[in-house]
CSV table of all heavy atoms in Angstrom, one decimal:
chain,number,residue,atom,x,y,z
A,77,VAL,N,14.1,-1.1,13.1
A,77,VAL,CA,13.5,-2.4,13.5
A,77,VAL,C,13.9,-3.5,12.6
A,77,VAL,O,14.1,-3.3,11.4
A,77,VAL,CB,12.0,-2.3,13.6
A,77,VAL,CG1,11.4,-1.9,12.3
A,77,VAL,CG2,11.4,-3.6,14.2
A,78,SER,N,14.2,-4.7,13.2
A,78,SER,CA,14.4,-5.9,12.4
A,78,SER,C,13.4,-7.0,12.9
A,78,SER,O,13.3,-7.2,14.2
A,78,SER,CB,15.8,-6.4,12.5
A,78,SER,OG,16.0,-7.6,11.9
A,79,PHE,N,12.7,-7.6,12.0
A,79,PHE,CA,11.6,-8.6,12.4
A,79,PHE,C,12.1,-10.0,12.3
A,79,PHE,O,11.4,-10.9,12.8
A,79,PHE,CB,10.4,-8.4,11.6
A,79,PHE,CG,9.7,-7.1,11.7
A,79,PHE,CD1,9.9,-6.1,10.8
A,79,PHE,CD2,8.9,-6.8,12.8
A,79,PHE,CE1,9.2,-4.9,10.9
A,79,PHE,CE2,8.3,-5.6,13.0
A,79,PHE,CZ,8.4,-4.6,12.0
A,80,SER,N,13.2,-10.3,11.7
A,80,SER,CA,13.6,-11.7,11.5
A,80,SER,C,14.0,-12.3,12.8
A,80,SER,O,14.6,-11.7,13.7
A,80,SER,CB,14.8,-11.8,10.5
A,80,SER,OG,16.0,-11.2,11.1
A,81,PRO,N,13.7,-13.6,13.0
A,81,PRO,CA,14.0,-14.3,14.3
A,81,PRO,C,15.5,-14.2,14.7
A,81,PRO,O,15.8,-14.1,15.9
A,81,PRO,CB,13.6,-15.7,14.1
A,81,PRO,CG,12.7,-15.7,12.9
A,81,PRO,CD,13.1,-14.5,12.1
A,82,GLU,N,16.4,-14.2,13.8
A,82,GLU,CA,17.8,-14.2,14.1
A,82,GLU,C,18.3,-12.8,14.5
A,82,GLU,O,19.3,-12.7,15.2
A,82,GLU,CB,18.6,-14.7,12.9
A,82,GLU,CG,18.4,-16.1,12.5
A,82,GLU,CD,17.1,-16.3,11.6
A,82,GLU,OE1,16.6,-15.2,11.2
A,82,GLU,OE2,16.6,-17.4,11.4
A,83,LYS,N,17.7,-11.7,14.0
A,83,LYS,CA,18.2,-10.4,14.3
A,83,LYS,C,17.1,-9.5,14.9
A,83,LYS,O,17.2,-8.3,14.8
A,83,LYS,CB,18.6,-9.8,12.9
A,83,LYS,CG,19.4,-10.6,12.1
A,83,LYS,CD,19.5,-10.1,10.6
A,83,LYS,CE,20.1,-11.1,9.7
A,83,LYS,NZ,19.9,-10.7,8.3
A,84,MET,N,16.2,-10.1,15.6
A,84,MET,CA,15.0,-9.3,16.1
A,84,MET,C,15.5,-8.2,17.1
A,84,MET,O,16.2,-8.4,18.0
A,84,MET,CB,14.1,-10.2,16.9
A,84,MET,CG,12.7,-9.7,17.1
A,84,MET,SD,11.7,-10.9,18.0
A,84,MET,CE,11.6,-12.2,16.8
A,85,ARG,N,15.1,-6.9,16.7
A,85,ARG,CA,15.5,-5.8,17.6
A,85,ARG,C,14.7,-4.6,17.2
A,85,ARG,O,14.1,-4.5,16.2
A,85,ARG,CB,17.0,-5.5,17.4
A,85,ARG,CG,17.3,-5.0,15.9
A,85,ARG,CD,18.8,-4.7,15.7
A,85,ARG,NE,19.0,-4.2,14.3
A,85,ARG,CZ,19.8,-3.2,14.0
A,85,ARG,NH1,20.4,-2.5,14.9
A,85,ARG,NH2,19.9,-2.8,12.8
A,86,LEU,N,14.7,-3.6,18.1
A,86,LEU,CA,14.1,-2.3,17.9
A,86,LEU,C,14.9,-1.3,18.6
A,86,LEU,O,15.1,-1.3,19.8
A,86,LEU,CB,12.6,-2.3,18.5
A,86,LEU,CG,11.7,-1.1,18.2
A,86,LEU,CD1,11.6,-0.8,16.8
A,86,LEU,CD2,10.4,-1.4,18.8
A,87,VAL,N,15.5,-0.3,17.8
A,87,VAL,CA,16.5,0.6,18.4
A,87,VAL,C,16.0,2.0,18.1
A,87,VAL,O,15.6,2.4,17.0
A,87,VAL,CB,17.8,0.4,17.7
A,87,VAL,CG1,18.9,1.3,18.2
A,87,VAL,CG2,18.3,-1.1,17.8
A,88,PRO,N,16.0,2.9,19.2
A,88,PRO,CA,15.7,4.3,19.0
A,88,PRO,C,16.6,5.0,18.0
A,88,PRO,O,17.8,4.7,17.9
A,88,PRO,CB,15.9,4.9,20.4
A,88,PRO,CG,15.8,3.7,21.3
A,88,PRO,CD,16.4,2.6,20.6
A,89,GLY,N,16.0,5.9,17.2
A,89,GLY,CA,16.8,6.5,16.2
A,89,GLY,C,16.8,8.0,16.3
A,89,GLY,O,16.8,8.6,17.4
A,90,VAL,N,16.9,8.7,15.2
A,90,VAL,CA,17.1,10.2,15.1
A,90,VAL,C,15.7,10.9,15.0
A,90,VAL,O,14.8,10.5,14.3
A,90,VAL,CB,18.0,10.5,13.9
A,90,VAL,CG1,18.1,12.0,13.8
A,90,VAL,CG2,19.3,9.8,14.0
A,91,GLU,N,15.6,11.9,15.8
A,91,GLU,CA,14.4,12.7,15.8
A,91,GLU,C,14.3,13.5,14.5
A,91,GLU,O,15.2,14.0,14.0
A,91,GLU,CB,14.3,13.7,17.0
A,91,GLU,CG,13.1,14.6,17.0
A,91,GLU,CD,13.1,15.5,18.2
A,91,GLU,OE1,14.0,15.5,19.0
A,91,GLU,OE2,12.2,16.4,18.3
A,92,VAL,N,13.1,13.6,13.9
A,92,VAL,CA,12.8,14.3,12.7
A,92,VAL,C,12.5,15.8,13.2
A,92,VAL,O,11.4,16.0,13.9
A,92,VAL,CB,11.6,13.8,11.9
A,92,VAL,CG1,11.4,14.6,10.7
A,92,VAL,CG2,11.9,12.3,11.5
A,93,PRO,N,13.3,16.8,12.9
A,93,PRO,CA,13.1,18.1,13.4
A,93,PRO,C,11.8,18.7,12.8
A,93,PRO,O,11.5,18.6,11.7
A,93,PRO,CB,14.3,18.9,12.9
A,93,PRO,CG,14.8,18.1,11.7
A,93,PRO,CD,14.5,16.7,12.0
A,94,LYS,N,11.1,19.4,13.8
A,94,LYS,CA,9.8,20.0,13.4
A,94,LYS,C,9.9,21.5,13.1
A,94,LYS,O,9.1,22.0,12.4
A,94,LYS,CB,8.8,19.7,14.5
A,94,LYS,CG,7.3,20.1,14.1
A,94,LYS,CD,6.4,19.7,15.2
A,94,LYS,CE,4.9,20.0,14.8
A,94,LYS,NZ,4.0,19.6,15.9
A,95,GLU,N,10.9,22.1,13.7
A,95,GLU,CA,11.1,23.5,13.5
A,95,GLU,C,12.6,23.8,13.2
A,95,GLU,O,13.5,23.0,13.5
A,95,GLU,CB,10.7,24.3,14.8
A,95,GLU,CG,9.2,24.1,15.2
A,95,GLU,CD,8.9,24.8,16.5
A,95,GLU,OE1,9.8,25.2,17.2
A,95,GLU,OE2,7.7,24.9,16.8
A,96,GLY,N,12.9,25.0,12.7
A,96,GLY,CA,14.2,25.4,12.4
A,96,GLY,C,14.8,24.9,11.1
A,96,GLY,O,14.0,24.3,10.3
A,97,PRO,N,16.0,25.2,10.8
A,97,PRO,CA,16.7,24.8,9.6
A,97,PRO,C,16.6,23.3,9.4
A,97,PRO,O,16.9,22.5,10.3
A,97,PRO,CB,18.1,25.3,9.7
A,97,PRO,CG,18.1,26.3,10.8
A,97,PRO,CD,17.0,25.9,11.7
A,98,GLY,N,16.3,22.9,8.2
A,98,GLY,CA,16.2,21.5,7.9
A,98,GLY,C,15.0,20.7,8.5
A,98,GLY,O,15.0,19.5,8.6
A,99,SER,N,14.0,21.5,8.9
A,99,SER,CA,12.8,20.9,9.6
A,99,SER,C,11.9,20.3,8.6
A,99,SER,O,11.8,20.6,7.4
A,99,SER,CB,12.1,21.9,10.4
A,99,SER,OG,11.6,23.0,9.6
A,100,ILE,N,11.1,19.3,9.1
A,100,ILE,CA,10.0,18.6,8.3
A,100,ILE,C,8.8,18.8,9.2
A,100,ILE,O,8.6,18.1,10.2
A,100,ILE,CB,10.3,17.1,8.1
A,100,ILE,CG1,11.7,16.8,7.6
A,100,ILE,CG2,9.2,16.5,7.3
A,100,ILE,CD1,11.9,17.3,6.1
A,101,PRO,N,8.0,19.8,8.9
A,101,PRO,CA,6.9,20.2,9.8
A,101,PRO,C,5.9,19.0,10.1
A,101,PRO,O,5.4,18.8,11.2
A,101,PRO,CB,6.2,21.3,9.0
A,101,PRO,CG,7.2,21.9,8.1
A,101,PRO,CD,8.1,20.7,7.7
A,102,GLY,N,5.6,18.2,9.1
A,102,GLY,CA,4.7,17.1,9.3
A,102,GLY,C,4.6,16.3,8.0
A,102,GLY,O,4.9,16.8,6.9
A,103,PHE,N,4.3,15.0,8.1
A,103,PHE,CA,4.2,14.2,6.9
A,103,PHE,C,3.3,13.0,7.1
A,103,PHE,O,3.1,12.6,8.3
A,103,PHE,CB,5.6,13.7,6.5
A,103,PHE,CG,6.4,13.0,7.5
A,103,PHE,CD1,6.3,11.6,7.6
A,103,PHE,CD2,7.1,13.6,8.5
A,103,PHE,CE1,7.1,10.9,8.5
A,103,PHE,CE2,7.8,12.9,9.5
A,103,PHE,CZ,7.8,11.6,9.5
A,104,ALA,N,2.8,12.5,6.0
A,104,ALA,CA,1.8,11.3,6.1
A,104,ALA,C,2.6,10.0,6.1
A,104,ALA,O,2.2,9.1,6.7
A,104,ALA,CB,0.8,11.4,5.0
A,105,THR,N,3.6,10.0,5.3
A,105,THR,CA,4.4,8.8,5.1
A,105,THR,C,5.8,9.1,4.6
A,105,THR,O,6.1,10.3,4.2
A,105,THR,CB,3.7,7.8,4.1
A,105,THR,OG1,4.4,6.5,4.2
A,105,THR,CG2,3.7,8.3,2.7
A,106,PHE,N,6.7,8.2,4.6
A,106,PHE,CA,8.1,8.4,4.1
A,106,PHE,C,8.5,7.2,3.4
A,106,PHE,O,8.0,6.1,3.5
A,106,PHE,CB,9.0,8.8,5.3
A,106,PHE,CG,9.4,7.6,6.1
A,106,PHE,CD1,10.6,6.9,5.9
A,106,PHE,CD2,8.6,7.2,7.2
A,106,PHE,CE1,10.9,5.8,6.7
A,106,PHE,CE2,9.0,6.1,8.0
A,106,PHE,CZ,10.1,5.4,7.7
A,107,SER,N,9.6,7.4,2.6
A,107,SER,CA,10.2,6.3,1.8
A,107,SER,C,11.7,6.4,1.8
A,107,SER,O,12.2,7.5,1.5
A,107,SER,CB,9.6,6.4,0.3
A,107,SER,OG,10.1,5.2,-0.4
A,108,TYR,N,12.4,5.4,2.1
A,108,TYR,CA,13.9,5.4,2.2
A,108,TYR,C,14.4,4.9,0.9
A,108,TYR,O,14.0,3.8,0.3
A,108,TYR,CB,14.4,4.5,3.3
A,108,TYR,CG,15.9,4.5,3.4
A,108,TYR,CD1,16.5,5.4,4.2
A,108,TYR,CD2,16.6,3.5,2.8
A,108,TYR,CE1,17.9,5.4,4.3
A,108,TYR,CE2,18.0,3.5,2.9
A,108,TYR,CZ,18.6,4.4,3.6
A,108,TYR,OH,20.0,4.4,3.7
A,109,THR,N,15.4,5.6,0.3
A,109,THR,CA,16.1,5.2,-0.9
A,109,THR,C,17.6,5.5,-0.7
A,109,THR,O,18.0,6.2,0.3
A,109,THR,CB,15.6,5.9,-2.2
A,109,THR,OG1,16.1,7.2,-2.2
A,109,THR,CG2,14.1,5.8,-2.3
A,110,GLU,N,18.5,5.0,-1.6
A,110,GLU,CA,19.9,5.4,-1.5
A,110,GLU,C,20.1,6.9,-1.7
A,110,GLU,O,21.2,7.4,-1.4
A,110,GLU,CB,20.7,4.5,-2.5
A,110,GLU,CG,20.8,3.1,-2.1
A,110,GLU,CD,21.7,2.3,-3.0
A,110,GLU,OE1,22.1,2.8,-4.1
A,110,GLU,OE2,22.1,1.2,-2.7
A,111,GLN,N,19.2,7.6,-2.3
A,111,GLN,CA,19.3,9.0,-2.5
A,111,GLN,C,19.0,9.7,-1.2
A,111,GLN,O,19.3,10.9,-1.0
A,111,GLN,CB,18.3,9.5,-3.5
A,111,GLN,CG,18.6,9.1,-5.0
A,111,GLN,CD,19.6,9.9,-5.6
A,111,GLN,OE1,20.1,10.9,-5.0
A,111,GLN,NE2,20.1,9.6,-6.8
A,112,GLY,N,18.4,9.0,-0.2
A,112,GLY,CA,18.0,9.6,1.0
A,112,GLY,C,16.5,9.3,1.4
A,112,GLY,O,15.9,8.5,0.7
A,113,ILE,N,16.1,9.9,2.4
A,113,ILE,CA,14.7,9.7,2.9
A,113,ILE,C,13.8,10.8,2.3
A,113,ILE,O,14.1,12.0,2.3
A,113,ILE,CB,14.6,9.8,4.4
A,113,ILE,CG1,15.6,8.8,5.0
A,113,ILE,CG2,13.2,9.5,4.9
A,113,ILE,CD1,15.8,8.9,6.5
A,114,LEU,N,12.7,10.4,1.8
A,114,LEU,CA,11.7,11.3,1.2
A,114,LEU,C,10.5,11.3,2.2
A,114,LEU,O,10.0,10.2,2.6
A,114,LEU,CB,11.2,10.8,-0.2
A,114,LEU,CG,12.3,10.9,-1.2
A,114,LEU,CD1,12.3,9.6,-2.0
A,114,LEU,CD2,12.1,12.1,-2.1
A,115,PHE,N,10.0,12.5,2.5
A,115,PHE,CA,8.9,12.7,3.4
A,115,PHE,C,7.7,13.3,2.6
A,115,PHE,O,7.8,14.3,2.0
A,115,PHE,CB,9.2,13.6,4.6
A,115,PHE,CG,10.3,13.1,5.4
A,115,PHE,CD1,11.7,13.4,5.1
A,115,PHE,CD2,10.1,12.3,6.6
A,115,PHE,CE1,12.7,12.9,5.9
A,115,PHE,CE2,11.1,11.9,7.4
A,115,PHE,CZ,12.5,12.2,7.0
A,116,PHE,N,6.5,12.6,2.7
A,116,PHE,CA,5.4,13.0,1.9
A,116,PHE,C,4.3,13.5,2.7
A,116,PHE,O,3.9,12.9,3.7
A,116,PHE,CB,4.9,11.8,1.0
A,116,PHE,CG,5.9,11.3,0.0
A,116,PHE,CD1,6.7,10.3,0.4
A,116,PHE,CD2,5.9,11.8,-1.2
A,116,PHE,CE1,7.6,9.8,-0.5
A,116,PHE,CE2,6.8,11.3,-2.2
A,116,PHE,CZ,7.7,10.3,-1.8
A,117,THR,N,3.7,14.7,2.4
A,117,THR,CA,2.5,15.2,3.0
A,117,THR,C,1.4,15.1,1.9
A,117,THR,O,1.6,14.5,0.8
A,117,THR,CB,2.6,16.7,3.4
A,117,THR,OG1,2.6,17.5,2.2
A,117,THR,CG2,3.9,16.9,4.1
A,118,ALA,N,0.2,15.6,2.1
A,118,ALA,CA,-0.8,15.6,1.2
A,118,ALA,C,-0.6,16.4,-0.1
A,118,ALA,O,-1.1,16.1,-1.2
A,118,ALA,CB,-2.2,16.0,1.8
A,119,ASN,N,0.3,17.4,0.0
A,119,ASN,CA,0.4,18.4,-1.1
A,119,ASN,C,1.9,18.6,-1.4
A,119,ASN,O,2.2,19.4,-2.4
A,119,ASN,CB,-0.2,19.7,-0.7
A,119,ASN,CG,-1.6,19.6,-0.3
A,119,ASN,OD1,-2.5,19.0,-0.9
A,119,ASN,ND2,-1.9,20.1,0.9
A,120,GLU,N,2.8,18.1,-0.7
A,120,GLU,CA,4.3,18.3,-1.0
A,120,GLU,C,5.1,17.2,-0.5
A,120,GLU,O,4.6,16.3,0.2
A,120,GLU,CB,4.6,19.7,-0.3
A,120,GLU,CG,4.4,19.6,1.2
A,120,GLU,CD,4.2,21.0,1.8
A,120,GLU,OE1,4.1,22.0,1.0
A,120,GLU,OE2,4.2,21.1,3.0
A,121,PHE,N,6.4,17.2,-0.8
A,121,PHE,CA,7.3,16.3,-0.3
A,121,PHE,C,8.7,16.9,0.0
A,121,PHE,O,9.0,18.0,-0.6
A,121,PHE,CB,7.5,15.0,-1.1
A,121,PHE,CG,8.1,15.2,-2.5
A,121,PHE,CD1,9.4,15.1,-2.7
A,121,PHE,CD2,7.3,15.4,-3.6
A,121,PHE,CE1,10.0,15.2,-3.9
A,121,PHE,CE2,7.8,15.5,-4.8
A,121,PHE,CZ,9.2,15.5,-5.0
A,122,TYR,N,9.4,16.3,0.9
A,122,TYR,CA,10.7,16.9,1.3
A,122,TYR,C,11.8,15.8,1.2
A,122,TYR,O,11.5,14.6,1.3
A,122,TYR,CB,10.7,17.3,2.8
A,122,TYR,CG,9.6,18.3,3.2
A,122,TYR,CD1,8.3,17.9,3.4
A,122,TYR,CD2,9.9,19.6,3.4
A,122,TYR,CE1,7.3,18.7,3.8
A,122,TYR,CE2,8.9,20.5,3.8
A,122,TYR,CZ,7.6,20.1,4.0
A,122,TYR,OH,6.7,21.0,4.4
A,123,TYR,N,13.0,16.3,0.9
A,123,TYR,CA,14.2,15.4,1.1
A,123,TYR,C,15.4,16.3,1.3
A,123,TYR,O,15.4,17.5,1.1
A,123,TYR,CB,14.4,14.5,-0.2
A,123,TYR,CG,14.6,15.3,-1.5
A,123,TYR,CD1,15.9,15.5,-1.9
A,123,TYR,CD2,13.6,15.7,-2.3
A,123,TYR,CE1,16.2,16.1,-3.1
A,123,TYR,CE2,13.8,16.4,-3.5
A,123,TYR,CZ,15.1,16.6,-3.9
A,123,TYR,OH,15.4,17.2,-5.1
A,124,PHE,N,16.5,15.6,1.8
A,124,PHE,CA,17.7,16.3,2.1
A,124,PHE,C,18.7,16.2,1.0
A,124,PHE,O,18.9,15.2,0.4
A,124,PHE,CB,18.3,15.8,3.4
A,124,PHE,CG,17.4,15.9,4.6
A,124,PHE,CD1,16.9,14.7,5.1
A,124,PHE,CD2,17.1,17.1,5.2
A,124,PHE,CE1,16.0,14.8,6.2
A,124,PHE,CE2,16.3,17.2,6.3
A,124,PHE,CZ,15.7,16.0,6.8
A,125,LYS,N,19.4,17.3,0.6
A,125,LYS,CA,20.4,17.4,-0.4
A,125,LYS,C,21.4,18.4,-0.1
A,125,LYS,O,21.1,19.6,0.2
A,125,LYS,CB,19.7,17.7,-1.8
A,125,LYS,CG,20.7,17.7,-2.9
A,125,LYS,CD,20.0,18.0,-4.2
A,125,LYS,CE,21.0,17.9,-5.4
A,125,LYS,NZ,20.3,18.2,-6.7
A,126,ASP,N,22.7,17.9,0.0
A,126,ASP,CA,23.8,18.8,0.3
A,126,ASP,C,23.6,19.6,1.6
A,126,ASP,O,23.9,20.8,1.7
A,126,ASP,CB,24.1,19.8,-0.9
A,126,ASP,CG,24.4,19.0,-2.2
A,126,ASP,OD1,25.0,17.9,-2.1
A,126,ASP,OD2,24.1,19.6,-3.2
A,127,GLY,N,23.1,18.9,2.6
A,127,GLY,CA,22.9,19.6,3.9
A,127,GLY,C,21.7,20.4,4.0
A,127,GLY,O,21.4,21.1,5.0
A,128,GLU,N,20.9,20.5,2.9
A,128,GLU,CA,19.7,21.4,2.9
A,128,GLU,C,18.4,20.5,2.7
A,128,GLU,O,18.5,19.4,2.2
A,128,GLU,CB,19.7,22.4,1.8
A,128,GLU,CG,20.9,23.4,2.0
A,128,GLU,CD,20.8,24.5,0.9
A,128,GLU,OE1,19.9,24.5,0.1
A,128,GLU,OE2,21.8,25.3,0.8
A,129,THR,N,17.3,21.1,3.2
A,129,THR,CA,16.0,20.4,3.0
A,129,THR,C,15.4,21.0,1.8
A,129,THR,O,15.2,22.2,1.6
A,129,THR,CB,15.1,20.7,4.2
A,129,THR,OG1,15.7,20.2,5.4
A,129,THR,CG2,13.7,20.0,4.0
A,130,ILE,N,15.1,20.1,0.8
A,130,ILE,CA,14.4,20.5,-0.4
A,130,ILE,C,12.9,20.2,-0.3
A,130,ILE,O,12.5,19.1,0.1
A,130,ILE,CB,15.0,19.7,-1.6
A,130,ILE,CG1,16.5,19.8,-1.7
A,130,ILE,CG2,14.3,20.2,-2.9
A,130,ILE,CD1,17.0,21.2,-1.9
A,131,LYS,N,12.1,21.3,-0.5
A,131,LYS,CA,10.7,21.2,-0.4
A,131,LYS,C,10.1,21.3,-1.8
A,131,LYS,O,10.3,22.3,-2.5
A,131,LYS,CB,10.2,22.2,0.5
A,131,LYS,CG,8.6,22.3,0.6
A,131,LYS,CD,8.2,23.4,1.5
A,131,LYS,CE,6.7,23.6,1.5
A,131,LYS,NZ,6.3,24.7,2.4
Side-chain angles (χ1 to χ4, degrees):
V77 60
S78 175
F79 296 103
S80 67
E82 298 80 12
K83 312 165 193 172
M84 197 180 295
R85 63 181 183 137
L86 185 55
V87 181
V90 178
E91 181 181 353
V92 180
K94 190 174 184 178
E95 299 177 347
S99 63
I100 310 292
F103 57 95
T105 189
F106 73 96
S107 186
Y108 180 88
T109 74
E110 287 188 349
Q111 292 279 355
I113 304 171
L114 296 133
F115 299 89
F116 297 90
T117 75
N119 309 306
E120 59 206 9
F121 65 89
Y122 304 80
Y123 63 95
F124 300 109
K125 183 177 180 180
D126 300 328
E128 297 184 4
T129 301
I130 307 298
K131 175 182 175 181

